[in-house]
Amino acid sequence: MIDERRVPIDRDVDIVTARQLGRELAAEAGFTGSDLTLIATAISEVARNIVVYAERGEIRLGRTDRNGREGIEVVAADEGPGIPDIQQAMQDGFSTGRSLGLGLPGARRLMDEFEIVSEVGKGTVVTMRKWRP
Amino acid sequence: MSVPILKQGDVLIASIQSALTDRDLLQLKDELAEKVGRLRSRGVVIDVTALDVMDSFATRTIRSIAAATRLRGAETVVVGIQPEVAIALVELGLTLDGIATALDLEEGLDVLVEVMEARRRDR
Ligand SMILES: Nc1ncnc2c1ncn2[C@@H]1O[C@H](COP(=O)(O)OP(=O)(O)OP(=O)(O)O)[C@@H](O)[C@H]1O
Ligand SMILES: [Mg+2]
């Protein structure tokens, strides 16, 4: 990640801070129009999951490039309870929080790349990237 | 950042001014449900023009505002969803099914009159 920025996440205002910074960095990286909103919305979802399920963690944001393409990378990391069944958690409508269960699968649709690594009792790391058109 | 709620006749207008935290959104829900009863309002307009992001939490809360105010006798119209926000909502898989929407406040008030009349006929 290039010029990595970190936003500590431990309460609801931090979600707003993270997604606003993400929008700014995405604009600096050359994203425009609805891409900025898609990126900010995906950040909002993974940041909220930290607050709701892990209580605290951090969002790391920065530019990235691969094979001459430029983009933005978002990492949401926490040391919370972890996710026992990732396949299940990635399904539309699955929620242990009596919510809509759209955050993770929705964030995957909003971004180009989405990886999630989680270990019960250790924590969760979600890595997302979007490439500039 | 709390949301100002204006009373105009039997309609309440909540115009969101800036990005809202989850707590702000929940506070808006409580205030609207309370005010609808106290002021005997028949309609609620929520102006979301200033929201640059509507994620799953915001959408769920707006849906529950509409459901709660309906139980208190008022219909809700959401106005001003930005085009980029609409695209993001669709990608996320979120809908505002069953909630009337309009492009701006003026149109929203017209829609509200229609919805309120339709409801009166249904009774
Ligand atoms: N950081 C995390 N730590 C632990 N569990 C998590 C984390 N993120 C997600 N989960 C688990 O994965 C499930 C699915 O997450 P997702 O964001 O898709 O839905 P949700 O948060 O339940 O609902 P929504 O995001 O629609 O409000 C959650 O209910 C929770 O059990
Ligand atoms: Mg979620």
Side-chain angles (χ1 to χ4, degrees), chain A residues 45 49 53 103-104, chain B residues 56:
Chain A
E45 293 299 339
N49 281 350
Y53 301 108
L104 291 177
Chain B
S56 59

Side-chain angles (χ1 to χ4, degrees), chain A residues 11-13 15-16 19-20 23 33-34 37-38 40-41 44-45 48 52 92 97-100 102-103 105-107 109-110, chain B residues 19-25 51-60 63 83-85 87-95:
Chain A
R11 55 203 179 106
D12 63 350
V13 286
I15 301 171
V16 178
R19 73 184 183 218
Q20 286 176 344
R23 175 187 288 272
S34 59
T37 303
L38 301 187
T41 307
S44 197
E45 293 299 339
R48 174 162 303 95
V52 173
D92 275 344
R98 284 195 287 149
S99 190
L100 301 173
L102 287 175
R109 288 189 287 269
L110 294 169
Chain B
L20 296 182
T21 64
D22 298 359
R23 207 161 314 174
D24 298 332
L25 276 160
L51 288 187
D52 67 335
V53 168
M54 275 176 72
D55 60 6
S56 59
F57 187 85
T59 308
R60 186 156 62 98
R63 289 208 311 216
E84 302 84 14
V85 172
I87 293 169
L89 283 178
V90 173
E91 292 286 308
L92 265 181
L94 289 165
T95 60

